[in-house]
Amino acid sequence: MRLPDLEAWAIFASVVEHRSFSAAADTLGLSKATVSKAITRLEAHLGQSLFHRTSRRIALTEAGKPLAEHAARILAESRAAEEAAFDAARAPTGRIRLAAPMSFGIDTVAPVLAEFLALHPGIEIDLHVSDARVDIVAQGFDVALRIARLPDSSLRARRLCGIATHVVAAPAYLAAHGTPAHPAELAAHRLLGYSNVVGPWHFERPGEPDVAVRASGPLAANSGEALLPALLAGIGIARLPDFIVGAHIRSGAVVAILTDWPNPEVGLHLLTPPSPLRPARVEALIAFLGERLRDPR
């Protein structure tokens, strides 16, 4: 039985990650010719092209796209196995790529990372904050924090805590347009939509039919923080997590409405790639975040 060409698969994963033969060669400490030969060797073995090549760029072929994730796992697990052996005899060191939601990442995660880095001077954090959903394996992240109701997936997930959400409006908006007494009445109001959440707003209460209202109004944004100016100016009603609007509710700048219809709680989850092998530095960060973010308020 012929063994798989693990070196070629690892080089393929690096070319995909860096989108360049030259950049992959520099990262791996190889010549560009060695990288090119490894890809050619892998393509010949598979009997299909993995990249479209031009003088300016490369792009995965349709055949190469589904193989990229498998290659990324091979490379990540090989690195993790080697690092686990080394880490057993030394303090955690190296770089961790961490993804987090935009507002939560800036307001909550970044401050606790300062504490983590002080405890582990040999570790470096590459923090990416975005409300777009990242592909952890394909984009090479070690850890991702996600606020959502998670669908089933191959990723390893740990729920850290619940995140309360509120339906809110400025007093000026409610004075001008009235206060909805039932979720169904929201359909007649100006709603500010969070475009990264697909689907309507759902409301559930024991003994009552579930209600679903599609957000339709003057503004939608892929960042909850970006909705705040319009919300505070009385432009419409928004549904936002407590870490964005909690302080504004307490100050009276906005009012929580429909409080007798509990909003479905979403969870703060810590996600990692499916491999059980993780470097000591990643294990250290997971343990730290699990402790510090159990109650992020």
Side-chain angles (χ1 to χ4, degrees), residues 238-258:
R239 186 180 203 174
L240 292 170
D242 187 77
F243 62 83
I244 291 180
V245 296
H248 297 290
I249 293 173
R250 291 187 288 275
S251 72
V254 298
V255 177
I257 62 174
L258 298 172

Side-chain angles (χ1 to χ4, degrees), residues 3-288:
L3 292 174
D5 190 344
L6 296 178
E7 180 187 49
W9 280 107
I11 290 173
F12 169 55
S14 186
V15 172
V16 172
E17 179 182 354
H18 297 285
R19 301 179 183 178
S20 163
F21 279 50
S22 298
D26 291 341
T27 300
L28 298 173
L30 302 172
S31 68
K32 185 178 177 181
T34 299
V35 169
S36 181
K37 287 177 181 178
I39 299 300
T40 300
R41 188 170 73 241
L42 186 58
E43 289 177 326
H45 174 62
L46 297 174
Q48 50 195 336
S49 296
L50 298 174
F51 293 104
H52 296 297
R53 301 169 175 84
T54 69
S55 60
R56 294 188 176 183
R57 63 187 296 270
I58 63 170
L60 283 167
T61 63
E62 289 303 311
K65 289 177 182 178
L67 297 175
E69 182 174 339
H70 294 292
R73 289 181 181 177
I74 291 171
L75 180 58
E77 292 191 8
S78 299
R79 285 173 172 167
E82 286 189 350
E83 290 173 358
F86 292 131
D87 286 341
R90 66 185 185 190
T93 61
R95 187 176 70 137
I96 301 173
R97 299 193 73 229
L98 170 65
M102 177 71 74
S103 301
F104 187 78
I106 294 171
D107 295 339
T108 303
V109 178
V112 302
L113 288 183
E115 180 184 343
F116 176 80
L117 292 172
L119 293 171
H120 300 279
I123 295 178
E124 301 171 358
I125 301 288
D126 182 5
L127 174 63
H128 290 246
V129 289
S130 171
D131 285 341
R133 179 165 295 189
V134 300
D135 185 325
I136 296 176
V137 174
Q139 294 177 251
F141 287 103
D142 299 294
V143 181
L145 294 168
R146 189 170 293 168
I147 298 173
R149 285 182 163 184
L150 286 187
D152 292 336
S153 78
S154 62
L155 300 176
R156 301 179 72 188
R158 175 182 172 187
R159 190 177 191 274
L160 300 181
C161 65
I163 300 289
T165 59
H166 309 282
V167 179
V168 290
Y173 177 88
L174 299 176
H177 302 279
T179 302
H182 189 278
E185 296 176 15
L186 289 171
H189 283 264
R190 296 160 62 85
L191 307 183
L192 308 177
Y194 178 51
S195 56
N196 274 341
V197 175
V198 178
W201 297 358
H202 288 278
F203 295 86
E204 302 170 1
R205 189 166 70 176
E208 301 267 3
D210 293 352
V211 181
V213 179
R214 187 164 298 279
S216 177
L219 177 65
N222 64 355
S223 166
E225 199 82 38
L227 299 177
L228 273 179
L231 174 68
L232 295 172
I235 303 300
I237 296 173
R239 186 180 203 174
L240 292 170
D242 187 77
F243 62 83
I244 291 180
V245 296
H248 297 290
I249 293 173
R250 291 187 288 275
S251 72
V254 298
V255 177
I257 62 174
L258 298 172
T259 55
D260 55 341
W261 283 81
N263 288 287
E265 185 179 75
V266 295
L268 171 63
H269 300 270
L270 187 151
L271 306 180
T272 57
S275 172
L277 295 172
R278 292 190 293 229
R281 63 179 179 274
V282 175
E283 293 285 6
L285 179 62
I286 289 172
F288 178 83

